[in-house]
Amino acid sequence: MRVLMIAPTSFFNDYGCHVRILEEARALQSLGLQVKIVTYYKGRDLPGLDIVRTPPLPWRSHYEVGSSRHKIAFDLYLSGTALATALRWRPHLLHAHLHEGALIGSVLRTLLRVPLIFDFQGSLTGEMIDHRFLNPDGPWYPLMRRLEVWIDRQPDRILTSTIHGARLLIEAFGAPPERVIPFPDAVNTEVFRPPLPEEMPELQRLREEWGIPPGRRLVVYLGLLAPYQGTDLLLEAAAHVIHQDPQVHFMIMGFPGEAFYMARAAALGISAHVTFTGKLPYEHAPIYLRLGELAVAPKMSATEGSGKLLNYMATGLPVVAFDTPVSREFMGRDGYYARLGDAGSLAEWILYALRHPEESVERGRRLRARAIAHYSWRTAGQMLLEIYQAVRQGRHLPAWVSVSPRRGADLSASLKSAREEAGKAVPGGSTPKG
């Protein structure tokens, strides 16, 4: 089977949705499918992947993350490149990522008469608001909202990275429930794993290389740096933590805006306790996460997934996160949950986790077991292949596919479980009680 993936982003870059695209493609290739990825002209080529890039824009040669008015031109170029590639290669199925990809895919679907799968990774208007590109009270919001609703109703199936995303599509955007399939992010649990005894010298070398003083307890973060990712709040929380326990050190791995956040750390007086690595290749992420004693996930977005949680979980790290439906869905009762948007609450939970090491280690162990049981790419690849085959053959999907990775549940039961689970364990992310 030939699958044309449409990726309206500068694939590959070392964050978020790029990791999902990469791991989906690899999982499908391991099952014998041919996968071609059409994407923007910038990005990192990876061995074993068939990537087709657009021509460069004459007036825009540098890379951008998130919403931008220049993306209109990027997507026009991508549309032409995708059409030319599809006419030449004749795919059996289109797999579009993000709403711009789904819009392009909807046109190609009509022309080629092949099924379209839409990989939904968050609300289009929600992301534009998160990136401060769209004012929810402005004149453009209703138009963009209507466009998003229209796009959500075109594909043959929509994959969502969380059950919360499925609920959002159905309840807020009117997507047909029978077309929505919760297909959570997954993780390679053999690559992301706890450290082995023989790796300790290498881990010690990395600590020394990055100038982390001996005896410091390391809290790690991996992901983009931006307000909607909670980076500002993370630094505020770090200042509270370091004030109470100077033996804590934070390693913040990600981009862009490292210089801005380094200056922010300096203004807070915590530069000696915070290490910024800048952009970290995805291949290096597993060993760097093994340096940590605790991981933190302060993402603020209410609609996007949070794949970094699965990397933390597979590594066996206890995790402090803001209390969001996505965090609850992935970690259940085993995460530490701070009040959303509250740096003080985030700091309290970080301190609580560090001051209760036996409990934290046990939570980390259970989180890894949860990742292995429910979020393995090996299982996800088989599920994705079954979805493809069913859509191409025009048949209904088995119940375990059409709902959730937890076999045997239906969509209503999955959503009910997610709502119930979100109401348990420290309601609202209240102050730690020991």
Side-chain angles (χ1 to χ4, degrees), residues 82 242 270 275 341 345:
I242 292 162
I270 58 173
T275 297
S345 178

Side-chain angles (χ1 to χ4, degrees), residues 418-432:
R419 286 194 290 268
E420 289 174 350
E421 196 165 64
K424 297 174 183 175
V426 199
S430 56
T431 304

Side-chain angles (χ1 to χ4, degrees), residues 279-348:
K279 186 176 182 179
L280 192 69
Y282 178 60
E283 309 91 275
H284 297 175
I287 190 70
Y288 274 76
L289 286 180
R290 288 177 207 139
L291 291 169
E293 180 177 339
L294 176 71
V296 63
K299 191 167 187 175
M300 297 287 292
S301 175
T303 68
E304 294 184 7
S306 188
K308 67 174 68 67
L309 286 173
L310 297 179
N311 295 335
Y312 297 162
M313 292 165 62
T315 308
L317 290 167
V319 182
V320 178
F322 279 135
D323 197 350
T324 66
V326 172
S327 297
R328 293 276 184 180
E329 182 180 327
F330 281 159
M331 297 192 294
R333 300 185 182 186
D334 295 318
Y336 291 113
Y337 299 107
R339 285 187 299 272
L340 182 61
D342 188 333
S345 178
L346 189 65
E348 289 171 351

Side-chain angles (χ1 to χ4, degrees), residues 101-337:
L103 180 58
I104 296 169
S106 297
V107 177
L108 295 184
R109 174 180 177 268
T110 302
L111 293 174
L112 301 174
R113 299 189 179 185
V114 295
L116 170 64
I117 303 291
F118 171 27
D119 214 309
F120 174 90
Q121 297 175 29
S123 165
L124 173 65
T125 51
E127 179 186 347
M128 294 173 76
I129 292 169
D130 287 339
H131 286 271
R132 300 177 183 178
F133 187 72
L134 181 67
N135 180 355
D137 299 317
W140 287 101
Y141 177 79
L143 178 61
M144 294 306 300
R145 177 82 176 192
R146 286 195 294 272
L147 175 61
E148 179 170 4
V149 169
W150 184 86
I151 292 172
D152 290 341
R153 295 178 180 179
Q154 303 312 304
D156 295 278
R157 294 291 186 275
I158 305 176
L159 310 181
T160 67
S161 60
T162 63
I163 294 174
H164 175 66
R167 181 183 177 188
L168 178 76
L169 271 170
I170 294 167
E171 297 181 358
F173 292 96
E178 67 276 8
R179 297 187 190 178
V180 179
I181 305 173
F183 184 77
D185 287 318
V187 62
N188 187 330
T189 56
E190 296 175 3
V191 173
F192 288 90
R193 54 166 176 75
L196 301 173
E198 57 267 29
E199 292 176 316
M200 293 307 167
E202 172 67 8
L203 294 175
Q204 182 59 37
R205 184 193 66 78
L206 282 175
R207 286 180 66 103
E208 293 171 358
E209 182 179 302
W210 285 100
I212 299 169
R216 292 274 176 91
R217 307 181 69 184
L218 197 59
V219 179
V220 292
Y221 168 82
L222 175 66
L224 290 176
L225 309 183
Y228 79 97
Q229 292 282 352
T231 312
D232 305 72
L233 295 171
L234 173 57
L235 290 178
E236 290 179 32
H240 288 295
V241 170
I242 292 162
H243 178 73
Q244 296 189 53
D245 187 350
Q247 287 302 103
V248 179
H249 197 97
F250 288 78
M251 175 173 267
I252 299 177
M253 299 173 274
F255 72 106
E258 304 96 299
F260 172 82
Y261 285 110
M262 289 174 70
R264 177 63 179 150
L268 291 168
I270 58 173
S271 292
H273 291 79
V274 181
T275 297
F276 291 89
T277 67
K279 186 176 182 179
L280 192 69
Y282 178 60
E283 309 91 275
H284 297 175
I287 190 70
Y288 274 76
L289 286 180
R290 288 177 207 139
L291 291 169
E293 180 177 339
L294 176 71
V296 63
K299 191 167 187 175
M300 297 287 292
S301 175
T303 68
E304 294 184 7
S306 188
K308 67 174 68 67
L309 286 173
L310 297 179
N311 295 335
Y312 297 162
M313 292 165 62
T315 308
L317 290 167
V319 182
V320 178
F322 279 135
D323 197 350
T324 66
V326 172
S327 297
R328 293 276 184 180
E329 182 180 327
F330 281 159
M331 297 192 294
R333 300 185 182 186
D334 295 318
Y336 291 113
Y337 299 107

